[in-house]
Amino acid sequence: GAVVSQHPSRVICKSGTSVKIECRSLDFQATTMFWYRQFPKKSLMLMATSNEGSKATYEQGVEKDKFLINHASLTLSTLTVTSAHPEDSSFYICSAPGDQTYEQYFGPGTRLTVT
Amino acid sequence: DQQVKQNSPSLSVQEGRISILNCDYTNSMFDYFLWYKKYPAEGPTFLISISSIKDKNEDGRFTVFLNKSAKHLSLHIVPSQPGDSAVYFCAASARGTYKYIFGTGTRLKVLA
């Protein structure tokens, strides 16, 4: 099946710094990608929809200036957590839709820890 | 407002027995439902799906049942195996969108 990769898988950063997370579709093109966040023992929460060649669409309550999304090509979307704070520590997961209506392929996730 | 709910945070089942995971939703616009399986520190992997035009979909050991009037779906795993131990998320979407709303997950533990 289709593969989505994320890099890095784990990152620790200091409070106030910015962190970039990459999401790549390895063997297919994705004009749309999704970014999710998962808190411990909580649901996956959709943060934003990344659109190739246009601005990302953010869900209600998600700060677009804090979580910068860039969909630079048909195989790459990046999420930059700017001026990170400890409360931004979380598991961030991206996904890309497949050919079928219901298909969505998830990346392995990135564990962000802000100290 | 949690539109998709999984009220059981955890479930333990003996190997070989049936596992039943439940999910409730509130939005009547949802017409496609999926179950994902997730291991720690990994992304979710697709397990099985069901469209609102059906009330049952079966794939090997996994069967999903949909009760539209009750806005309830369930995932049956039989026979359960230790390798099935994971967190299971149900997700729902409305027609024409890839946006899925996830439940909070149920941690299944299959005991050998």
Side-chain angles (χ1 to χ4, degrees), chain A residues 2-4 23 25 27-36 49-51 71 74 94-106, chain B residues 36 97-100:
Chain A
V3 177
V4 174
C23 177
S25 56
D27 51 0
F28 66 105
Q29 294 181 333
T31 56
T32 301
M33 290 184 176
F34 301 94
W35 286 96
Y36 293 84
T49 303
S50 173
N51 304 299
H71 200 133
L74 289 171
C94 69
S95 72
D99 293 332
Q100 303 299 319
T101 304
Y102 62 85
E103 282 181 336
Q104 205 167 135
Y105 299 102
F106 285 86
Chain B
Y36 283 88
T97 175
Y98 282 116
K99 286 172 59 172
Y100 284 95

Short mmCIF file of all heavy atoms in Angstrom, two decimals, chain A residues 2-4 23 25 27-36 49-51 71 74 94-106, chain B residues 36 97-100:
data_model
loop_
_atom_site.label_atom_id
_atom_site.label_comp_id
_atom_site.label_asym_id
_atom_site.label_seq_id
_atom_site.Cartn_x
_atom_site.Cartn_y
_atom_site.Cartn_z
N ALA A 2 0.18 2.37 -0.09
CA ALA A 2 0.87 3.66 -0.12
C ALA A 2 1.59 3.92 1.20
O ALA A 2 1.16 3.47 2.25
CB ALA A 2 -0.14 4.76 -0.40
N VAL A 3 2.70 4.63 1.10
CA VAL A 3 3.52 4.90 2.29
C VAL A 3 3.67 6.39 2.49
O VAL A 3 3.95 7.15 1.55
CB VAL A 3 4.91 4.25 2.14
CG1 VAL A 3 5.77 4.58 3.35
CG2 VAL A 3 4.77 2.74 1.99
N VAL A 4 3.48 6.77 3.73
CA VAL A 4 3.70 8.16 4.13
C VAL A 4 4.77 8.17 5.20
O VAL A 4 4.69 7.40 6.17
CB VAL A 4 2.40 8.79 4.66
CG1 VAL A 4 2.66 10.18 5.22
CG2 VAL A 4 1.35 8.83 3.56
N CYS A 23 6.39 15.76 6.23
CA CYS A 23 5.51 14.65 5.88
C CYS A 23 5.64 14.40 4.39
O CYS A 23 5.42 15.33 3.58
CB CYS A 23 4.07 15.00 6.24
SG CYS A 23 2.85 13.75 5.76
N SER A 25 4.79 11.81 1.02
CA SER A 25 4.16 10.65 0.39
C SER A 25 5.23 10.02 -0.51
O SER A 25 5.77 10.67 -1.39
CB SER A 25 2.93 11.07 -0.41
OG SER A 25 3.24 12.05 -1.37
N ASP A 27 5.32 7.11 -2.53
CA ASP A 27 5.11 6.48 -3.84
C ASP A 27 3.82 6.94 -4.51
O ASP A 27 3.30 6.28 -5.39
CB ASP A 27 5.12 4.95 -3.70
CG ASP A 27 4.18 4.49 -2.60
OD1 ASP A 27 3.53 5.34 -1.96
OD2 ASP A 27 4.09 3.27 -2.38
N PHE A 28 3.35 8.10 -4.06
CA PHE A 28 2.18 8.65 -4.71
C PHE A 28 2.16 10.15 -4.47
O PHE A 28 2.87 10.66 -3.61
CB PHE A 28 0.90 8.00 -4.18
CG PHE A 28 0.60 8.29 -2.73
CD1 PHE A 28 -0.40 9.19 -2.37
CD2 PHE A 28 1.32 7.67 -1.71
CE1 PHE A 28 -0.68 9.46 -1.04
CE2 PHE A 28 1.05 7.94 -0.38
CZ PHE A 28 0.04 8.84 -0.04
N GLN A 29 1.37 10.83 -5.25
CA GLN A 29 1.28 12.28 -5.10
C GLN A 29 0.06 12.65 -4.28
O GLN A 29 -0.98 11.99 -4.37
CB GLN A 29 1.21 12.94 -6.49
CG GLN A 29 2.50 12.77 -7.28
CD GLN A 29 2.42 13.46 -8.63
OE1 GLN A 29 1.35 13.64 -9.20
NE2 GLN A 29 3.57 13.86 -9.16
N ALA A 30 0.21 13.67 -3.50
CA ALA A 30 -0.88 14.08 -2.62
C ALA A 30 -1.07 15.59 -2.71
O ALA A 30 -0.24 16.36 -2.23
CB ALA A 30 -0.60 13.66 -1.18
N THR A 31 -2.13 16.03 -3.35
CA THR A 31 -2.41 17.46 -3.40
C THR A 31 -2.95 17.96 -2.06
O THR A 31 -2.93 19.15 -1.78
CB THR A 31 -3.44 17.76 -4.49
OG1 THR A 31 -4.62 16.99 -4.25
CG2 THR A 31 -2.88 17.43 -5.87
N THR A 32 -3.41 17.04 -1.26
CA THR A 32 -3.92 17.37 0.06
C THR A 32 -3.27 16.46 1.09
O THR A 32 -3.12 15.26 0.85
CB THR A 32 -5.45 17.18 0.12
OG1 THR A 32 -6.07 18.01 -0.86
CG2 THR A 32 -5.99 17.54 1.49
N MET A 33 -2.90 17.02 2.20
CA MET A 33 -2.42 16.24 3.34
C MET A 33 -3.08 16.81 4.60
O MET A 33 -3.50 17.98 4.61
CB MET A 33 -0.90 16.30 3.46
CG MET A 33 -0.17 15.55 2.36
SD MET A 33 1.63 15.56 2.64
CE MET A 33 2.18 14.54 1.29
N PHE A 34 -3.15 16.00 5.61
CA PHE A 34 -3.78 16.41 6.85
C PHE A 34 -2.79 16.30 8.00
O PHE A 34 -1.97 15.39 8.04
CB PHE A 34 -4.99 15.52 7.15
CG PHE A 34 -6.04 15.56 6.08
CD1 PHE A 34 -6.05 14.60 5.08
CD2 PHE A 34 -7.00 16.55 6.06
CE1 PHE A 34 -7.01 14.63 4.07
CE2 PHE A 34 -7.96 16.58 5.07
CZ PHE A 34 -7.96 15.63 4.07
N TRP A 35 -2.89 17.25 8.90
CA TRP A 35 -2.07 17.22 10.10
C TRP A 35 -2.97 17.03 11.31
O TRP A 35 -3.96 17.75 11.51
CB TRP A 35 -1.26 18.50 10.25
CG TRP A 35 -0.12 18.58 9.28
CD1 TRP A 35 -0.10 19.19 8.07
CD2 TRP A 35 1.17 17.98 9.46
NE1 TRP A 35 1.12 19.02 7.47
CE2 TRP A 35 1.94 18.28 8.30
CE3 TRP A 35 1.77 17.23 10.46
CZ2 TRP A 35 3.25 17.87 8.13
CZ3 TRP A 35 3.09 16.81 10.29
CH2 TRP A 35 3.81 17.13 9.13
N TYR A 36 -2.59 16.02 12.12
CA TYR A 36 -3.32 15.71 13.34
C TYR A 36 -2.39 15.86 14.54
O TYR A 36 -1.17 15.77 14.43
CB TYR A 36 -3.83 14.26 13.32
CG TYR A 36 -4.89 13.96 12.29
CD1 TYR A 36 -4.55 13.65 10.98
CD2 TYR A 36 -6.24 13.96 12.63
CE1 TYR A 36 -5.52 13.35 10.03
CE2 TYR A 36 -7.21 13.66 11.71
CZ TYR A 36 -6.85 13.35 10.41
OH TYR A 36 -7.81 13.05 9.48
N THR A 49 -5.73 21.21 7.14
CA THR A 49 -5.62 20.56 5.84
C THR A 49 -4.60 21.31 5.02
O THR A 49 -4.73 22.54 4.83
CB THR A 49 -6.98 20.56 5.12
OG1 THR A 49 -7.95 19.91 5.95
CG2 THR A 49 -6.89 19.82 3.79
N SER A 50 -3.59 20.60 4.57
CA SER A 50 -2.52 21.21 3.80
C SER A 50 -2.83 21.05 2.32
O SER A 50 -3.10 19.94 1.85
CB SER A 50 -1.21 20.49 4.15
OG SER A 50 -0.15 20.91 3.32
N ASN A 51 -2.80 22.14 1.58
CA ASN A 51 -3.16 22.12 0.17
C ASN A 51 -1.97 22.53 -0.69
O ASN A 51 -1.41 23.62 -0.49
CB ASN A 51 -4.32 23.08 -0.09
CG ASN A 51 -5.53 22.77 0.77
OD1 ASN A 51 -6.09 21.69 0.70
ND2 ASN A 51 -5.92 23.72 1.60
N HIS A 71 2.88 23.37 1.91
CA HIS A 71 2.76 22.19 1.04
C HIS A 71 3.53 22.50 -0.23
O HIS A 71 2.99 22.96 -1.22
CB HIS A 71 1.28 21.94 0.74
CG HIS A 71 0.98 20.54 0.29
ND1 HIS A 71 -0.05 19.81 0.81
CD2 HIS A 71 1.58 19.75 -0.61
CE1 HIS A 71 -0.10 18.62 0.24
NE2 HIS A 71 0.89 18.56 -0.64
N LEU A 74 3.99 18.08 -4.48
CA LEU A 74 2.94 17.06 -4.44
C LEU A 74 3.29 15.89 -3.54
O LEU A 74 2.48 14.98 -3.36
CB LEU A 74 2.64 16.56 -5.86
CG LEU A 74 1.92 17.56 -6.76
CD1 LEU A 74 1.87 17.05 -8.19
CD2 LEU A 74 0.52 17.82 -6.25
N CYS A 94 0.69 13.04 10.32
CA CYS A 94 0.15 13.53 9.06
C CYS A 94 -0.50 12.37 8.32
O CYS A 94 -0.25 11.20 8.61
CB CYS A 94 1.22 14.17 8.20
SG CYS A 94 2.43 13.01 7.55
N SER A 95 -1.35 12.71 7.39
CA SER A 95 -1.96 11.68 6.55
C SER A 95 -2.19 12.24 5.15
O SER A 95 -2.22 13.46 4.95
CB SER A 95 -3.28 11.20 7.14
OG SER A 95 -4.28 12.18 6.99
N ALA A 96 -2.34 11.33 4.21
CA ALA A 96 -2.62 11.72 2.83
C ALA A 96 -3.70 10.80 2.29
O ALA A 96 -3.68 9.60 2.56
CB ALA A 96 -1.37 11.63 1.97
N PRO A 97 -4.66 11.35 1.57
CA PRO A 97 -5.73 10.49 1.03
C PRO A 97 -5.24 9.65 -0.13
O PRO A 97 -4.36 10.04 -0.89
CB PRO A 97 -6.78 11.50 0.57
CG PRO A 97 -6.06 12.78 0.38
CD PRO A 97 -4.87 12.76 1.27
N GLY A 98 -5.84 8.46 -0.24
CA GLY A 98 -5.53 7.58 -1.34
C GLY A 98 -6.53 7.77 -2.47
O GLY A 98 -7.24 8.76 -2.53
N ASP A 99 -6.58 6.79 -3.36
CA ASP A 99 -7.44 6.90 -4.53
C ASP A 99 -8.91 6.73 -4.20
O ASP A 99 -9.77 7.36 -4.80
CB ASP A 99 -7.05 5.85 -5.58
CG ASP A 99 -5.68 6.14 -6.16
OD1 ASP A 99 -5.29 7.32 -6.19
OD2 ASP A 99 -5.01 5.18 -6.58
N GLN A 100 -9.18 5.86 -3.24
CA GLN A 100 -10.56 5.61 -2.89
C GLN A 100 -11.05 6.67 -1.91
O GLN A 100 -10.27 7.29 -1.20
CB GLN A 100 -10.71 4.23 -2.24
CG GLN A 100 -10.20 3.09 -3.11
CD GLN A 100 -10.95 2.99 -4.42
OE1 GLN A 100 -12.18 3.15 -4.46
NE2 GLN A 100 -10.24 2.74 -5.51
N THR A 101 -12.34 6.86 -1.89
CA THR A 101 -12.93 7.91 -1.07
C THR A 101 -12.54 7.81 0.39
O THR A 101 -12.27 8.81 1.04
CB THR A 101 -14.47 7.84 -1.16
OG1 THR A 101 -14.86 7.92 -2.52
CG2 THR A 101 -15.11 8.99 -0.39
N TYR A 102 -12.49 6.60 0.91
CA TYR A 102 -12.27 6.46 2.34
C TYR A 102 -10.81 6.34 2.72
O TYR A 102 -10.45 6.42 3.87
CB TYR A 102 -13.01 5.23 2.84
CG TYR A 102 -12.52 3.94 2.21
CD1 TYR A 102 -11.42 3.27 2.71
CD2 TYR A 102 -13.16 3.43 1.09
CE1 TYR A 102 -10.97 2.10 2.12
CE2 TYR A 102 -12.71 2.26 0.50
CZ TYR A 102 -11.62 1.59 1.02
OH TYR A 102 -11.19 0.44 0.42
N GLU A 103 -9.96 6.11 1.73
CA GLU A 103 -8.58 5.81 2.06
C GLU A 103 -7.85 7.01 2.62
O GLU A 103 -7.96 8.12 2.11
CB GLU A 103 -7.83 5.34 0.80
CG GLU A 103 -8.11 3.91 0.41
CD GLU A 103 -7.31 3.51 -0.82
OE1 GLU A 103 -6.93 4.41 -1.60
OE2 GLU A 103 -7.08 2.31 -1.00
N GLN A 104 -7.11 6.77 3.64
CA GLN A 104 -6.23 7.80 4.16
C GLN A 104 -5.03 7.08 4.75
O GLN A 104 -5.18 6.19 5.59
CB GLN A 104 -6.94 8.64 5.23
CG GLN A 104 -6.37 10.00 5.37
CD GLN A 104 -7.23 10.95 6.19
OE1 GLN A 104 -6.71 11.65 7.03
NE2 GLN A 104 -8.53 11.01 5.97
N TYR A 105 -3.85 7.46 4.32
CA TYR A 105 -2.63 6.80 4.76
C TYR A 105 -1.91 7.70 5.75
O TYR A 105 -1.65 8.87 5.47
CB TYR A 105 -1.73 6.50 3.56
CG TYR A 105 -2.38 5.57 2.56
CD1 TYR A 105 -2.93 6.07 1.39
CD2 TYR A 105 -2.49 4.21 2.82
CE1 TYR A 105 -3.56 5.22 0.48
CE2 TYR A 105 -3.11 3.36 1.91
CZ TYR A 105 -3.65 3.88 0.75
OH TYR A 105 -4.27 3.04 -0.13
N PHE A 106 -1.62 7.13 6.89
CA PHE A 106 -1.02 7.90 7.97
C PHE A 106 0.49 7.72 8.03
O PHE A 106 1.00 6.63 7.77
CB PHE A 106 -1.62 7.49 9.31
CG PHE A 106 -3.01 8.03 9.53
CD1 PHE A 106 -4.11 7.34 9.04
CD2 PHE A 106 -3.21 9.22 10.20
CE1 PHE A 106 -5.39 7.84 9.23
CE2 PHE A 106 -4.49 9.72 10.39
CZ PHE A 106 -5.56 9.03 9.91
N TYR B 36 -9.48 2.24 12.77
CA TYR B 36 -8.03 2.24 12.66
C TYR B 36 -7.45 1.55 13.87
O TYR B 36 -8.00 1.59 14.97
CB TYR B 36 -7.48 3.66 12.59
CG TYR B 36 -7.65 4.33 11.25
CD1 TYR B 36 -8.80 5.05 10.95
CD2 TYR B 36 -6.65 4.27 10.30
CE1 TYR B 36 -8.95 5.67 9.72
CE2 TYR B 36 -6.79 4.89 9.07
CZ TYR B 36 -7.94 5.58 8.79
OH TYR B 36 -8.09 6.20 7.58
N THR B 97 -16.00 14.52 1.72
CA THR B 97 -14.86 15.11 2.41
C THR B 97 -13.92 14.03 2.90
O THR B 97 -14.35 12.93 3.24
CB THR B 97 -15.31 16.00 3.58
OG1 THR B 97 -14.15 16.46 4.29
CG2 THR B 97 -16.18 15.23 4.56
N TYR B 98 -12.65 14.37 2.94
CA TYR B 98 -11.67 13.46 3.50
C TYR B 98 -11.48 13.72 4.99
O TYR B 98 -10.72 13.04 5.64
CB TYR B 98 -10.31 13.65 2.82
CG TYR B 98 -10.21 13.00 1.46
CD1 TYR B 98 -10.02 13.78 0.33
CD2 TYR B 98 -10.27 11.63 1.31
CE1 TYR B 98 -9.91 13.20 -0.92
CE2 TYR B 98 -10.15 11.04 0.06
CZ TYR B 98 -9.97 11.83 -1.04
OH TYR B 98 -9.83 11.26 -2.28
N LYS B 99 -12.17 14.70 5.52
CA LYS B 99 -11.96 15.04 6.92
C LYS B 99 -12.64 14.03 7.81
O LYS B 99 -13.84 13.81 7.72
CB LYS B 99 -12.51 16.43 7.20
CG LYS B 99 -11.66 17.55 6.63
CD LYS B 99 -12.32 18.90 6.76
CE LYS B 99 -12.63 19.28 8.17
NZ LYS B 99 -13.09 20.67 8.29
N TYR B 100 -11.85 13.43 8.66
CA TYR B 100 -12.39 12.44 9.58
C TYR B 100 -12.34 12.94 11.01
O TYR B 100 -11.39 13.57 11.43
CB TYR B 100 -11.60 11.13 9.46
CG TYR B 100 -11.96 10.36 8.22
CD1 TYR B 100 -11.22 10.48 7.06
CD2 TYR B 100 -13.08 9.54 8.20
CE1 TYR B 100 -11.58 9.81 5.91
CE2 TYR B 100 -13.45 8.86 7.06
CZ TYR B 100 -12.69 9.00 5.92
OH TYR B 100 -13.06 8.33 4.78
#
